[in-house]
Amino acid sequence: MMSNIDIVRAHYAASAQGNLDAMMAHVSPQARWTEMAGFPCAGTWVGPQAVAENVFAVLGRDWIGYRFELQSLIDAGEHIVGVGSYHGTYRATGKAMRARVAHIWHLQNGKIVAFEQFTDTLLVRQAMGSH
């Protein structure tokens, strides 16, 4: 069985390749995925299908070149912290954005059971043309 940090590392690698199936491979059907208030996909989504539809499909639709650039992973056992930056250009305004971000992952028995995002939503909103 893969370690928790390897599961998160594999998610980020799949994200960089645009492979949604591989990104969701270790997400529990009951996983609670929280995007920060003020972020375009704000809310808590339950399960891989809801995350795919309400987070990744929306980001792919509304942003050009949207990506997460990983800087570091912190292994805290059942919790993994990913630190990096979001990059992308908002399709409707043509404005580019770069915002620092931290992801908190909670894993149990080889499955992602919770995810929470912390980012500078003001920088994202500025690219979207709203303050």
Side-chain angles (χ1 to χ4, degrees):
M1 179 158 66
M2 292 173 70
S3 69
N4 289 341
I5 198 165
D6 286 338
I7 290 169
V8 173
R9 189 177 286 118
H11 171 91
Y12 287 134
S15 176
Q17 297 167 356
N19 185 340
L20 186 58
D21 289 339
M23 288 170 64
M24 297 290 105
H26 291 94
V27 176
S28 163
Q30 295 81 34
R32 296 181 57 79
W33 189 286
T34 302
E35 298 285 318
M36 195 167 172
F39 193 71
C41 307
T44 298
W45 312 104
V46 179
Q49 187 66 33
V51 173
E53 292 172 0
N54 295 290
V55 178
F56 297 112
V58 172
L59 294 173
R61 179 193 70 210
D62 295 347
W63 294 82
I64 299 164
Y66 189 90
R67 71 187 190 285
F68 171 74
E69 184 178 292
L70 180 65
Q71 179 186 1
S72 62
L73 277 178
I74 302 162
D75 189 344
E78 284 192 348
H79 291 87
I80 306 295
V81 179
V83 179
S85 299
Y86 287 141
H87 302 264
T89 300
Y90 192 60
R91 196 174 303 277
T93 63
K95 291 183 182 177
M97 167 279 298
R98 181 179 185 278
R100 296 289 290 154
V101 62
H103 295 154
I104 311 299
W105 303 83
H106 184 196
L107 294 92
Q108 292 177 335
N109 302 316
K111 289 289 186 184
I112 297 162
V113 296
F115 167 91
E116 189 168 3
Q117 168 215 59
F118 297 90
T119 191
D120 188 338
T121 57
L122 177 60
L123 294 176
V124 178
R125 287 285 171 186
Q126 286 174 338
M128 296 173 72
S130 54
H131 305 310

